[in-house]
Amino acid sequence: LNVTVLEYFLDNVEFRKVIPAEYRLFQVADLICTIKLIKKKIESEISNMNISQKIINKDSKVLILGSFPSLKSEEKSFYYGHPKNRFWDVLAAIYNQPGLKEFSNEEKTNFCIKNHIAIYDVIKSCKIKGSSDLSIDKASIVYTDIHELKKGTCITRIFLNGSKAYKLFAKRYPELLSISYRLPSTSPANARKNLETLINEWKIIKD
């Protein structure tokens, strides 16, 4: 077994010559690493499906669209679940709701409904490696039907969270660009924008 694999996946690894009586321990370590490698491969190549739960109702006025949920969001079955994503921090500041990021999924949903905010993604499903938008397989993209999503609501403005979401949206729905706005991504990958800057630029959603 490759030493670097053991060192990468297991903590406090000690390497020494294995005597026959201890060979089973080596086999266990080998099995653990193999399982973790398989899990990592599956996570990187899986055909991801979007979070099925939409946050929207008939009184929604503002629609916020991301590109596609991260693996962390899928794990938590909710939007912007990565602990370093600043989406909920930004909304907490704009709507004066301390502790919003720590709310349960149900409480966050109720917060959005109360403030007439709808949340979903431009992409309904696709193949993607990991969580990087750059790795989205374009041929596999199934777009969300935004017209159907808006039907029966009070949505008059659409905000795109990040340039990737905006580009995808603009390509698929050019007829809706007159009511759409690109906002800087709240993703931790957008390190150029600090929280204060994001809050100032996102205030438009409450105007």
Side-chain angles (χ1 to χ4, degrees):
L1 185 64
N2 192 320
V3 170
T4 58
V5 174
L6 277 169
E7 290 176 322
Y8 182 81
F9 285 112
L10 300 178
D11 297 326
N12 303 317
V13 175
E14 177 186 346
F15 293 96
R16 55 189 170 83
K17 188 174 181 179
V18 179
I19 60 176
E22 297 178 341
Y23 186 67
R24 182 166 292 181
L25 293 175
F26 179 82
Q27 289 179 308
V28 171
D30 188 359
L31 176 61
I32 292 172
C33 288
T34 300
I35 292 172
K36 290 196 175 186
L37 282 170
I38 292 172
K39 181 176 182 290
K40 193 174 183 66
K41 182 176 178 63
I42 291 173
E43 286 178 347
S44 67
E45 295 184 356
I46 192 169
S47 177
N48 289 316
M49 299 302 292
N50 204 337
I51 299 169
S52 58
Q53 178 189 2
K54 305 176 183 71
I55 299 179
I56 192 168
N57 75 350
K58 62 182 180 61
D59 297 318
S60 298
K61 297 178 181 179
V62 169
L63 173 60
I64 299 174
L65 295 171
S67 54
F68 195 74
S70 67
L71 289 175
K72 287 292 184 181
S73 294
E74 290 188 350
E75 286 175 10
K76 296 187 176 183
S77 298
F78 207 70
Y79 301 93
Y80 306 104
H82 193 292
K84 293 185 178 179
N85 193 300
R86 295 159 293 177
F87 178 81
W88 296 109
D89 298 302
V90 169
L91 264 61
I94 294 173
Y95 289 89
N96 191 27
Q97 181 61 71
L100 177 60
K101 193 168 189 173
E102 308 306 321
F103 280 16
S104 67
N105 293 352
E106 182 180 359
E107 289 172 330
K108 286 176 180 173
T109 299
N110 291 338
F111 162 84
C112 290
I113 296 300
K114 176 184 176 182
N115 289 285
H116 311 294
I117 299 170
I119 299 178
Y120 203 50
D121 290 296
V122 178
I123 296 176
K124 185 176 182 179
S125 68
C126 70
K127 291 182 179 179
I128 182 173
K129 292 184 178 181
S131 297
S132 172
D133 284 344
L134 297 176
S135 67
I136 292 174
D137 178 3
K138 295 180 181 179
S140 71
I141 292 176
V142 176
Y143 287 92
T144 297
D145 187 337
I146 304 299
H147 291 293
E148 185 65 28
L149 189 67
K150 286 172 70 268
K151 190 178 296 182
T153 72
C154 300
I155 292 172
T156 56
R157 295 184 299 160
I158 301 173
F159 296 94
L160 289 305
N161 188 350
S163 59
K164 183 64 175 181
Y166 183 83
K167 288 176 182 177
L168 289 165
F169 181 85
K171 180 179 180 180
R172 180 65 180 83
Y173 294 105
E175 72 277 12
L176 294 176
L177 290 180
S178 61
I179 62 167
S180 304
Y181 307 82
R182 176 172 54 185
L183 292 173
S185 173
T186 57
S187 166
N190 184 19
R192 294 182 297 105
K193 301 279 188 177
N194 60 29
L195 180 58
E196 183 180 357
T197 301
L198 288 174
I199 292 170
N200 285 332
E201 296 191 39
W202 273 71
K203 284 179 179 178
I204 188 176
I205 68 173
K206 196 179 179 182
D207 291 346

